Amino acid sequence: NYDTRFFLDGVDIPLLFHFGGVKSTYNSLSLGNVDLYPGGFGTRYGGCVGGVVELKGRRSRQDRWHTVLDASLLDASFHTEGPLGKNFGLTVGARRSFIGELASAALKNNEDINLVVAPYYWDSIARLDWNKGRDHRLFLTFFASSDHMRIISPGNDSGSPTVSEANDEVALDLTFKRFILGYDAKLSDRVQNELRLSAGKDSNSGHALGFFRFRFEGPVYNLRNDLALTWSPDLIAHVGADILHSEVDYAVKIVGYPESKLGDNSFSDLGTYTNVEWRPHPNLLITPGIRHDYYTRLKKGKVSFRGSARWDYHEDRTITASAGTYNQSPRPLGHSTDYIYGNPDLPITTARHLTIGHEWRLGDRLSLKVEGYRNTQDLIPAFADTANLNFLPDADAQMYGLEFMLRHESDGQFFGWVSYSIGRSNRRFERNPGAGPNWDPNSWYLHEIDQTHHLEAVGSWQLGRNWSFGSRLQFVSGVPMTPILGFTGNQYEFDSDTGNYVPVEGEYNSERVDPYFRSDFRVEKKFIKRSSVWSLYLDLQNANYFIYNSPEGYTYNYDYSKRDSYGWIFVPALGMRVEF
């Protein structure tokens, strides 16, 4: 989703998971905690109208050296951390997958599958911590991640070799690196400061079936500072600023259009904010705030007003609420304002968030949270092809729904949670997006990423004698799609100028991709040997593959009369882990 931002210790990163969920890009052994804000987040964050996810790295241990080695059919990794002189701690880790080799081997002799998937990933972490007492803490982090994927469809050769000679292939390469300097200081009993500086580089490229290719790379710089002033035990004020600057070199080529190249293009976003944490009553926290974001690419800025409240009205019950305005640069970033493929005069996209929730403590370890949300957005760029402009800011969005979370904290025997969300994501267009003759500019249409139902259950059991079992079940409604009538209704169109068949589309988003279901299981046995712990485990990812393999999407043959689904493979990972 273009509208959500990801952070590591306050610094932007482009990707949280390898291939959408196989493994996190930041190794969980180095992770301190994760803060998830699907909506209604405070003034600390800006530049997005969706949600925010922030990872916070864990400080290196300084009691002794700890090392973890892990190898399986899925990937291999090492992680080590410990003291490095007085007041210093060091963490180093790296990981490389074998999933591409496993996928190729699994599909090599399967005549029923005409797709060859060859992905792999790697990531690495190095973190140096300096703790000068409780009042001054400094860390330096290097973090890098890379994902590479190839999907080959031998029956597809309708693209143009002028775009890509591999016109039967979809490829995607995503690589990024970050150096992060963090400094937390208690300047006095009433003043604390949090500083983050970062320098890195993003390098992305890809192509799709000879119709489209892109290359995007350039340095990325971040600065973030938050100053907290404690006026009284019941009143804390925050004043902060964050800067994101990138110098982009990219090229885009679409079949039938000239290539667009831009070098040394600068994108800078500057945000300033202030908010107050006020407790008029010991059980009531109110946080109003104001933020201003300025986008140098657009030469425009926008003010946001936000507020939240948390009321512990009963020992085991809490009410939460938030409301605010939000804004971001036009998305897709860079593409939408491109001088050839976009519209450089697009305005800032705006949004309004509203949430209200209730939390129950049902027992010592059991809790339930229910939250309703509404997100409305304006001035969203939509494809136009009008007056030589490929984007116009004339689409609106509305998202609303309910989320439920039932959580059982660990009691030494069991830990788990069940979450369910029911929601709707709609779009409204001033110009016909291909919705057919019954299109109405005042009507709302399902968005292409709408997922009405999302159910997820996670559990981990300690079975005794150092045996453990874990599972994850996920069910998601299939996303909307516009049917291709060559496949569903034997309707075809041939373009004699290009010599290719053109897809004939049915009613806009009137069908859905089949539902997504995934089940993962893990069995582990530990062997304790004096100063080390050895573990033998079996991971089964997408264990439902042989009964029902959830489709990620569809590919078609040359005239769109045949369709094949593609999805994730069954990944068994027998592995061993040692900790010492």
Side-chain angles (χ1 to χ4, degrees):
N1 191 329
Y2 294 122
D3 300 336
T4 296
R5 290 181 73 178
F6 309 126
F7 296 92
L8 171 62
D9 290 320
V11 171
D12 278 85
I13 58 174
L15 199 64
L16 277 186
F17 293 98
H18 294 296
F19 302 118
V22 177
K23 287 283 186 74
S24 61
T25 56
Y26 193 81
N27 196 317
S28 59
L29 292 175
S30 300
L31 190 61
N33 59 286
V34 180
D35 294 322
L36 172 63
Y37 306 98
F41 48 89
T43 56
R44 172 181 170 88
Y45 308 99
C48 62
V49 296
V52 164
V53 181
E54 181 171 17
L55 310 180
K56 294 183 180 179
R58 179 176 55 79
R59 293 198 301 271
S60 306
R61 299 180 187 178
Q62 297 186 25
D63 56 341
R64 65 174 182 86
W65 280 94
H66 303 260
T67 300
V68 178
L69 304 177
D70 195 326
S72 71
L73 296 175
L74 180 62
D75 58 29
S77 66
F78 80 91
H79 178 275
T80 185
E81 60 180 307
L84 193 67
K86 186 177 181 181
N87 299 325
F88 286 90
L90 177 65
T91 298
V92 179
R95 177 171 49 192
R96 205 278 195 190
S97 79
F98 306 116
I99 200 166
E101 291 83 349
L102 184 62
S104 297
L107 301 176
K108 183 177 181 180
N109 298 316
N110 193 330
E111 297 180 355
D112 296 328
I113 300 177
N114 66 347
L115 297 175
V116 179
V117 185
Y120 77 88
Y121 61 81
W122 61 261
D123 55 65
S124 60
I125 300 170
R127 172 169 171 147
L128 178 66
D129 288 276
W130 175 65
N131 298 322
K132 186 63 175 178
R134 297 181 179 180
D135 295 342
H136 298 275
R137 290 174 177 168
L138 183 144
F139 68 87
L140 178 63
T141 296
F142 169 75
F143 173 45
S145 173
S146 186
D147 286 68
H148 303 267
M149 181 181 70
R150 298 287 186 275
I151 300 177
I152 301 173
S153 179
N156 194 320
D157 59 355
S158 57
S160 171
T162 62
V163 176
S164 174
E165 293 184 358
N167 58 2
D168 63 348
E169 178 181 270
V170 176
L172 185 63
D173 297 317
L174 306 174
T175 301
F176 68 91
K177 302 173 184 178
R178 294 292 186 273
F179 288 92
I180 304 172
L181 175 66
Y183 180 45
D184 300 332
K186 184 177 180 181
L187 304 178
S188 71
D189 290 339
R190 295 191 173 186
V191 181
Q192 297 188 57
N193 193 74
E194 180 184 286
L195 173 66
R196 301 290 184 266
L197 294 171
S198 173
K201 183 179 180 180
D202 292 345
S203 179
N204 306 324
S205 63
H207 55 264
L209 302 176
F211 288 102
F212 171 78
R213 77 166 186 265
F214 76 96
R215 176 183 55 80
F216 174 101
E217 62 181 6
V220 182
Y221 306 97
N222 282 92
L223 182 149
R224 176 181 293 274
N225 195 83
D226 184 277
L227 183 68
L229 308 172
T230 303
W231 299 105
S232 71
D234 300 325
L235 188 64
I236 302 175
H238 290 261
V239 179
D242 55 82
I243 300 173
L244 172 64
H245 177 77
S246 178
E247 298 174 2
V248 178
D249 180 10
Y250 78 93
V252 179
K253 170 65 176 174
I254 300 175
V255 65
Y257 290 86
E259 185 175 22
S260 173
K261 290 185 178 182
L262 289 175
D264 298 327
N265 234 7
S266 294
F267 293 82
S268 295
D269 299 342
L270 169 63
T272 56
Y273 66 88
T274 182
N275 62 61
V276 175
E277 299 176 11
W278 177 42
R279 288 191 179 273
H281 185 276
N283 295 333
L284 178 62
L285 174 63
I286 300 175
T287 309
I290 183 172
R291 179 183 175 93
H292 181 268
D293 289 286
Y294 183 78
Y295 306 99
T296 58
R297 175 77 172 176
L298 306 177
K299 297 181 180 179
K300 299 174 184 176
K302 199 77 174 178
V303 176
S304 301
F305 299 94
R306 305 172 193 175
S308 64
R310 182 180 180 88
W311 180 25
D312 300 317
Y313 73 96
H314 186 274
E315 182 181 1
D316 298 322
R317 300 172 189 174
T318 300
I319 293 177
T320 61
S322 68
T325 59
Y326 300 82
N327 59 81
Q328 68 181 20
S329 292
R331 301 298 200 263
L333 191 63
H335 179 199
S336 61
T337 55
D338 183 272
Y339 289 95
I340 294 179
Y341 294 115
N343 178 358
D345 296 321
L346 288 174
I348 297 171
T349 301
T350 59
R352 292 154 302 284
H353 293 187
L354 178 64
T355 70
I356 185 167
H358 195 286
E359 301 174 7
W360 289 268
R361 174 62 64 176
L362 304 178
D364 291 339
R365 302 183 184 277
L366 192 64
S367 62
L368 173 65
K369 180 178 180 180
V370 179
E371 186 171 55
Y373 66 90
R374 183 177 178 85
N375 182 335
T376 57
Q377 301 174 6
D378 306 311
L379 303 175
I380 301 172
F383 286 108
D385 280 332
T386 301
N388 296 321
L389 296 175
N390 290 307
F391 287 92
L392 286 174
D394 55 5
D396 302 320
Q398 62 175 9
M399 288 75 69
Y400 53 88
L402 281 172
E403 298 178 343
F404 303 83
M405 168 71 82
L406 181 65
R407 183 182 181 91
H408 188 285
E409 301 293 342
S410 176
D411 59 3
Q413 300 295 321
F414 171 75
F415 164 78
W417 49 265
V418 178
S419 69
Y420 170 69
S421 65
I422 179 171
R424 181 56 56 93
S425 179
N426 294 326
R427 289 291 188 273
R428 182 171 61 189
F429 305 92
E430 289 191 12
R431 290 165 294 103
N432 194 335
N438 297 323
W439 166 75
D440 181 353
N442 296 314
S443 296
W444 292 95
Y445 297 88
L446 283 175
H447 187 36
E448 58 189 13
I449 62 170
D450 175 79
Q451 296 177 338
T452 306
H453 302 281
H454 191 147
L455 176 65
E456 193 153 349
V458 173
S460 178
W461 292 263
Q462 299 297 324
L463 305 178
R465 297 188 177 183
N466 296 323
W467 282 92
S468 63
F469 173 76
S471 66
R472 176 193 179 209
L473 302 177
Q474 184 181 32
F475 173 85
V476 185
S477 298
V479 295
M481 60 172 288
T482 299
I484 303 298
L485 298 183
F487 173 74
T488 61
N490 294 321
Q491 297 184 33
Y492 306 99
E493 181 178 336
F494 182 77
D495 187 340
S496 58
D497 292 333
T498 63
N500 295 320
Y501 279 87
V502 178
V504 180
E505 295 186 339
E507 186 177 350
Y508 182 73
N509 280 353
S510 59
E511 294 187 2
R512 286 184 180 268
V513 177
D514 289 338
Y516 181 89
F517 176 77
R518 174 169 166 170
S519 58
D520 301 331
F521 303 99
R522 179 185 176 103
V523 178
E524 182 174 349
K525 168 65 174 178
K526 291 185 177 180
F527 304 89
I528 302 175
K529 305 289 185 181
R530 294 184 180 179
S531 60
S532 64
V533 178
W534 296 73
S535 302
L536 185 65
Y537 62 85
L538 175 64
D539 271 336
L540 302 177
Q541 295 193 21
N542 199 30
N544 50 280
Y545 174 85
F546 299 100
I547 300 175
Y548 175 76
N549 188 30
S550 304
E552 300 280 358
Y554 301 108
T555 62
Y556 297 84
N557 67 340
Y558 72 100
D559 64 354
Y560 301 92
S561 62
K562 296 181 180 180
R563 184 175 77 181
D564 290 295
S565 65
Y566 61 88
W568 195 235
I569 63 171
F570 169 58
V571 183
L574 179 64
M576 178 174 289
R577 170 182 171 134
V578 57
E579 305 173 44
F580 55 90

